[in-house]
Amino acid sequence: MSGKNAEPAAATKSWRDRFKGASVNLFYAPALIMLVLFSLYPLISGIGISLTSWDGFNPEKIFVGLSNYVTMLRDANFRMTLINTFIYGIGSTVIQQVLGLGLALLLNSKIRGRNLMRAIIYLPALVSAVIMGTMYYFIFQYDTGALNTILSALGLEKVVWFQNATTALIIILVVNSVQFVGTSMIIYLAGLQGLDQSVVEAASLDGASGWKMFWNITLPGLAPSFTTSVVLNLIGGLKLFDVIKVLTGGGPGYSTNSVSSYISIQYFDNQNAGYAAAMGVVLFIIIAVVTTVMNKGLDKLGWN
Amino acid sequence: MSNATKQPDVTIVGKKEHRSFRWLAYVFLIIMCLIQLLPFWLAICASSKPSDDLSSSLFLRFDFEWSNFATAITDGGILKAIVNSVIITLCSTIITCLVGAAAAYPLARRQTRGNKLVSPASWPS
């Protein structure tokens, strides 16, 4: 790992020559140690725990092989949370791309107060998702919530927003997308400002305008920003946790849980640490595969 | 969006021909800004009310409940929490910068096979 035996062996090089400057490699020792300690070790011990029937605090762990993974295949709740996870991941990615690109295009043009607007739209992304979720909860409360106040002012019935699984799912999805739409907007703004102005000018001299300009010049120029934004949003959506915990706690029933929040329920409420770890491993693999495929696919299309 | 040839800038609003479009853009942007500001307004409103208040979360209370802030400082320990935040932010920034910069140098300068293995930037992804 330290690169000492890694250089191609050249017959003419002496032992001393070959390792010349290798001590520079020590510079990344701190980073490597931290990575191993805080990322690799938990990952591996998590895989280890997933093969046991540990309850979270018992000093003894009983090895049960792959039975946690078999349980997972039979668990209808896990299937549902997996589907929810993909709804959150794909849904919020789509919403954030559309809204973020729209906002970036509008706020890149000469419009009054655009700096203030950029700041305001990015504002919620600065606050931690738990706090933001609590604040959004004020909107959807039943008797004192902002939305229900508006509804009853208009003479309409008050709505119990988190009673229905579908509505609750959509609310979580929208809240997450709206909170982090600023990050997509910033990425697209940077992409727009990095567009090659000479290409834009050439295209406009050739008579491209409006939609044609947007479709043939602006959008292809934004491809790298698109890839970055999509991959970041996808990861963010697939591991969604805080907003669910704060807004619905996974309810009604288990119906709005993502895999992450279902893991926390299994670990802390049901004391199924082994099962929770197994689901964590599966979630890790899913996120890794999805983002790699996404990155590779966009790469192949030349969108990188 | 028909006569945008004279303007090489990548703008879709900002021309006089598109008054209605410009107007729509402003409406959309202002609505987005209001949506983004709404939770902050609700938090301010909530901070103005005692815990037994049952009025709508959309409005401020006329007699602002300043004691909420005093409670946050005395019982909530908010000052301690702020200090903790500052310490965590400062330390993690310093550690990340130092460790990251130190790790980046050999990875950029010495492209041996072992170093490429360590560097995620060179992984096929």
Side-chain angles (χ1 to χ4, degrees):
Chain A
M1 283 294 253
S2 66
K4 287 209 163 159
N5 300 316
E7 274 194 9
T12 50
K13 271 186 177 178
S14 74
W15 188 89
R16 202 173 275 268
D17 272 349
R18 216 180 300 162
F19 295 114
K20 206 171 176 187
S23 61
V24 173
N25 288 350
L26 283 179
F27 279 16
Y28 59 57
L32 214 55
I33 290 168
M34 282 166 92
L35 182 80
V36 169
L37 212 61
F38 296 115
S39 293
L40 231 49
Y41 170 70
L43 182 67
I44 289 164
S45 74
I47 294 172
I49 291 171
S50 77
L51 301 175
T52 67
S53 63
W54 195 40
D55 57 4
F57 49 82
N58 201 328
E60 252 173 77
K61 293 171 192 158
I62 300 154
F63 183 80
V64 291
L66 290 173
S67 81
N68 279 326
Y69 293 89
V70 177
T71 324
M72 203 187 313
L73 286 175
R74 295 209 192 103
D75 188 352
N77 283 330
F78 176 73
R79 268 196 300 269
M80 186 174 61
T81 54
L82 199 60
I83 292 167
N84 287 349
T85 304
F86 277 104
I87 292 175
Y88 292 138
I90 296 167
S92 59
T93 308
V94 170
I95 297 176
Q96 285 185 59
Q97 296 333 300
V98 172
L99 270 184
L101 185 57
L103 286 169
L105 284 170
L106 290 177
L107 290 174
N108 194 42
S109 52
K110 291 180 191 72
I111 212 166
R112 198 171 298 178
R114 64 176 187 180
N115 283 339
L116 180 68
M117 286 186 188
R118 285 178 190 173
I120 289 174
I121 284 167
Y122 191 69
L123 201 57
L126 291 173
V127 183
S128 102
V130 178
I131 298 168
M132 241 11 241
T134 319
M135 281 149 81
Y136 279 113
Y137 187 68
F138 291 133
I139 300 177
F140 301 106
Q141 276 167 332
Y142 177 68
D143 27 275
T144 62
L147 257 180
N148 277 345
T149 310
I150 295 170
L151 283 182
S152 47
L154 294 171
L156 297 166
E157 281 280 302
K158 284 183 177 181
V159 179
V160 190
W161 291 103
F162 296 117
Q163 187 182 40
N164 179 313
T166 320
T167 332
L169 205 75
I170 292 169
I171 289 174
I172 292 171
L173 183 58
V174 168
V175 161
N176 179 52
S177 312
V178 163
Q179 186 189 348
F180 291 108
V181 76
T183 49
S184 314
M185 181 195 72
I186 294 282
I187 293 170
Y188 283 124
L189 264 178
L192 280 172
Q193 277 154 17
L195 276 186
D196 194 348
Q197 283 302 316
S198 59
V199 176
V200 176
E201 203 164 326
S204 81
L205 284 175
D206 286 341
S209 67
W211 269 115
K212 229 175 189 174
M213 170 81 95
F214 175 72
W215 205 245
N216 293 320
I217 307 295
T218 315
L219 215 54
L222 283 177
S225 325
F226 181 78
T227 309
T228 314
S229 181
V230 162
V231 171
L232 283 179
N233 291 160
L234 208 56
I235 296 173
L238 288 176
K239 65 175 193 188
L240 190 63
F241 173 75
D242 343 40
V243 181
I244 302 167
K245 273 284 167 198
V246 175
L247 284 182
T248 66
Y254 286 116
S255 56
T256 55
N257 272 318
S258 69
V259 175
S260 314
S261 62
Y262 190 53
I263 287 171
S264 104
I265 286 175
Q266 284 294 349
Y267 192 111
F268 293 107
D269 300 355
N270 299 0
Q271 292 169 353
N272 269 335
Y275 187 38
M279 286 192 289
V281 171
V282 169
L283 181 64
F284 166 74
I285 292 169
I286 288 172
I287 292 183
V289 167
V290 166
T291 48
T292 313
V293 165
M294 207 66 206
N295 236 343
K296 267 223 162 119
L298 291 170
D299 225 3
K300 274 229 172 89
L301 288 170
W303 280 64
N304 209 339
Chain B
M1 296 304 300
S2 50
N3 302 323
T5 33
K6 287 164 210 153
Q7 196 178 5
D9 229 7
V10 220
T11 57
I12 54 172
V13 283
K15 289 179 67 69
K16 277 184 180 164
E17 298 97 282
H18 310 303
R19 272 266 157 76
S20 60
F21 185 82
R22 193 184 171 83
W23 194 77
L24 266 176
Y26 265 113
V27 170
F28 171 69
L29 284 174
I30 287 170
I31 288 174
M32 276 308 290
C33 285
L34 286 179
I35 289 174
Q36 301 295 65
L37 285 177
L38 180 63
F40 294 96
W41 169 249
L42 295 178
I44 293 170
C45 292
S47 77
S48 76
K49 293 167 186 173
S51 52
D52 58 351
D53 185 292
L54 288 175
S55 62
S56 168
S57 63
L58 200 52
F59 305 113
L60 270 179
R61 200 180 151 96
F62 185 65
D63 47 336
F64 210 97
E65 186 83 5
W66 290 108
S67 66
N68 284 336
F69 291 91
T71 314
I73 292 170
T74 53
D75 300 350
I78 196 94
L79 295 178
K80 177 83 183 156
I82 289 172
V83 171
N84 286 347
S85 288
V86 170
I87 292 173
I88 291 169
T89 312
L90 268 182
C91 291
S92 67
T93 309
I94 291 170
I95 292 174
T96 311
C97 285
L98 285 181
V99 171
Y105 179 78
L107 293 179
R109 278 304 169 104
R110 286 179 49 81
Q111 300 225 321
T112 60
R113 231 178 297 165
N115 287 5
K116 278 183 183 166
L117 187 73
V118 175
S119 164
S122 61
W123 289 352
S125 65

